[in-house]
Amino acid sequence: MTAASEALLHRTTVTRAEQHSYAAHGHVRLPGLWDRALAGRIAAEGRARHAAAVIPRRGPRTPVVARRLPARGTPAAGGPLLARIHLELTGAARALTGRLLVPTFAAYGYYEDDDEVFLHIDTEQCGLTLLTTAFGDVGPLHVHPGLTGSTMERLGALESDPAWDRHGGTRLTYPDTGVTALNGHVLPHHRPGRRAPGLRAVAALCYRPLF
């Protein structure tokens, strides 16, 4: 086996407890998928690829009032290391959900000075989303099971409402050497945002059901 073909990950399986937790809640932490050396390589690639990041033309667009419009979108970029991890985790994604999932896209999403994410659901290309912090200090994602089934218009109305509790919901953090799996096409989620100088990035790996 050549170095290029060697497996990157420590494990590509999921436990029965992880399966049950995902089925019950629509999200679960999957720690220990890789070692700290690989975490460092992910951080290095994420930083290096920032120069090539662009605002995606497609993706969830939460309809908000003018005063809530962001100054800019979230730039994103892929990378060969992230693509390999994406492929190697396909089996785990299938075992976790019990569905025949296929990889769709994987990218680093970059946040500068603020890590806010509007309330939304993911597109159909993300029947399962795996999330990890590539580098920097990223706040927890807030998931809202009580809003399941809401339209993007409904979510936009909440996002636009100054009285909406932006600190509510279930907080999801990302393990240092693994991912948090999220049924993001079903579960509405957001990040309230924390202003802090500097650049940070989240890596998102998406899968969709083949059937």
Side-chain angles (χ1 to χ4, degrees):
M1 179 180 290
T2 66
S5 62
E6 289 177 357
L8 291 168
L9 306 182
H10 276 188
R11 69 167 175 128
T12 55
T13 59
V14 296
T15 66
R16 197 170 291 273
E18 288 167 342
Q19 290 173 326
H20 290 167
S21 184
Y22 180 81
H25 305 293
H27 55 81
V28 66
R29 286 165 53 92
L30 303 176
L33 300 181
W34 54 77
D35 58 22
R36 294 199 177 277
L38 182 57
R41 291 174 61 190
I42 293 169
E45 180 177 80
R47 291 184 185 278
R49 293 296 294 159
H50 180 233
V54 297
I55 307 296
R57 293 184 178 181
R58 297 181 179 180
R61 296 288 187 270
T62 306
V64 294
V65 295
R67 64 175 176 75
R68 286 290 287 134
L69 289 174
R72 60 176 299 184
T74 303
L81 176 62
L82 192 64
R84 283 186 62 191
I85 295 170
H86 193 199
L87 187 60
E88 286 192 26
L89 284 174
T90 302
R94 291 174 175 177
L96 185 66
T97 62
R99 305 186 72 183
L100 185 58
L101 299 180
V102 294
T104 50
F105 68 89
Y108 300 102
Y110 297 93
Y111 304 90
E112 191 163 2
D113 301 328
D114 194 334
D115 61 359
E116 181 181 46
V117 174
F118 283 178
L119 183 64
H120 70 285
I121 54 172
D122 296 337
T123 70
E124 292 181 353
Q125 296 300 302
C126 294
L128 174 69
T129 306
L130 305 182
L131 299 162
T132 191
T133 301
F135 64 86
D137 183 17
V138 179
L141 202 65
H142 292 225
V143 177
H144 300 270
L147 296 176
T148 298
S150 298
T151 64
M152 287 291 281
E153 288 72 21
R154 168 61 176 157
L155 300 180
L158 287 171
E159 186 65 56
S160 301
D161 184 356
W164 180 58
D165 180 10
R166 298 187 54 75
H167 298 284
T170 301
R171 298 185 181 190
L172 304 185
T173 58
Y174 311 142
D176 293 336
T177 55
V179 300
T180 290
L182 174 67
N183 188 359
H185 182 55
V186 171
L187 284 174
H189 51 282
H190 86 291
R191 187 179 296 117
R194 299 184 302 177
R195 291 193 176 275
L199 184 69
R200 67 219 71 180
V202 171
L205 305 93
C206 285
Y207 303 80
R208 67 169 178 83
L210 191 57
F211 303 107

